[in-house]
Amino acid sequence: MNRDIRLLDKTFTPYLSADSILSRVDEIASQLRQDYRNEKVLFVGVLNGAFMFASDLMKSINFDLEISFVKVASYEGTASTGVVKDLIGLNNSLEGKHVVIIEDIVDTGRTADRIFEYLKEKNPMSIEMCTLLYKSDAFEGIEEPKYVGFKIPNKFVVGYGLDYDEAGRNLNEIYQLKE
Ligand code: IMP
């Protein structure tokens, strides 16, 4: 059965099912539980893309934690503009805390580097990145993500928070652009 979908002017084909995403999210959650239990940890979700991943991940981690969200934008359409705009929304103190950034996807890594730079200035005990998807072949950044859901090829994807010009964020599975 053809389960392709149409978003705006493009066709996308199913890539990662809802079940496979959720079971990987559970695995990452148990890794984070092991690494951060008994620590003061602040999770920083990057909006808009990471809202669904952050929500499922936080529900799977059953220890005391803080969560906050920041907003940053670097993408228009299906090609990176390479321009990272402002980072807004973080009012929490980071002193004495371990910070884990939650991203939907690391592509070139520019956004991640910018967020690291910004958060380092606030003197946390440590910073790591947790991303659901990692396009490792496209990566040209400095800070590699420590926690990775899926390494994926350098192809455009949507769903589970990720958008194509704001379409597709609400899909509960991930689709790949059909060339
Ligand atoms: P980077 O700065 O190149 O690593 O890009 C990071 C941001 O670009 C992500 O947070 C996404 O918002 C967006 N992005 C990168 N690849 C994709 C994709 O395949 N689909 C949707 N958004 C993407």
Side-chain angles (χ1 to χ4, degrees):
M1 191 181 72
N2 184 348
R3 294 181 53 242
D4 288 357
I5 57 162
R6 189 89 184 145
L7 293 172
L8 307 175
D9 59 337
K10 299 207 187 311
T11 304
F12 293 84
T13 201
Y15 181 56
L16 295 168
S17 70
D19 281 352
S20 67
I21 296 167
L22 286 179
S23 67
R24 187 68 190 119
V25 169
D26 274 346
E27 286 172 5
I28 300 170
S30 54
Q31 208 183 335
L32 289 166
R33 263 198 305 273
Q34 272 176 23
D35 292 357
Y36 290 97
R37 193 183 287 283
N38 303 322
E39 303 285 355
K40 270 195 152 186
V41 51
L42 168 68
F43 287 91
V44 177
V46 183
L47 294 174
N48 294 327
F51 80 95
M52 223 180 252
F53 176 44
S55 167
D56 285 336
L57 190 64
M58 295 300 96
K59 283 186 277 183
S60 287
I61 299 184
N62 52 359
F63 65 78
D64 281 343
L65 54 86
E66 251 182 89
I67 178 153
S68 192
F69 286 92
V70 292
K71 189 150 189 176
V72 57
S74 73
Y75 239 73
E76 277 164 26
T78 58
S80 179
T81 58
V83 182
V84 176
K85 296 170 201 157
D86 275 349
L87 192 124
I88 51 167
L90 193 69
N91 303 315
N92 314 53
S93 158
L94 304 196
E95 299 265 351
K97 293 176 192 166
H98 295 279
V99 172
V100 180
I101 303 161
I102 305 176
E103 265 281 25
D104 51 351
I105 188 164
V106 173
D107 184 356
T108 64
R110 282 194 204 103
T111 310
D113 282 353
R114 175 69 192 93
I115 296 170
F116 261 87
E117 218 176 276
Y118 178 92
L119 296 178
K120 267 183 193 158
E121 282 171 16
K122 295 179 175 275
N123 294 319
M125 300 251 283
S126 68
I127 312 181
E128 295 293 353
M129 166 135 339
C130 172
T131 184
L132 180 68
L133 306 174
Y134 179 29
K135 290 184 182 170
S136 51
D137 291 343
F139 185 76
E140 43 188 52
I142 300 163
E143 307 284 356
E144 271 208 84
K146 176 169 180 184
Y147 302 94
V148 174
F150 302 91
K151 271 194 185 179
I152 63 166
N154 193 5
K155 276 195 183 172
F156 195 79
V157 287
V158 286
Y160 197 72
L162 291 136
D163 73 305
Y164 165 49
D165 277 352
E166 297 306 326
R169 285 197 200 278
N170 57 318
L171 298 164
N172 71 347
E173 56 191 319
I174 293 175
Y175 292 76
Q176 197 174 55
L177 179 65
K178 203 167 178 174
E179 305 292 353

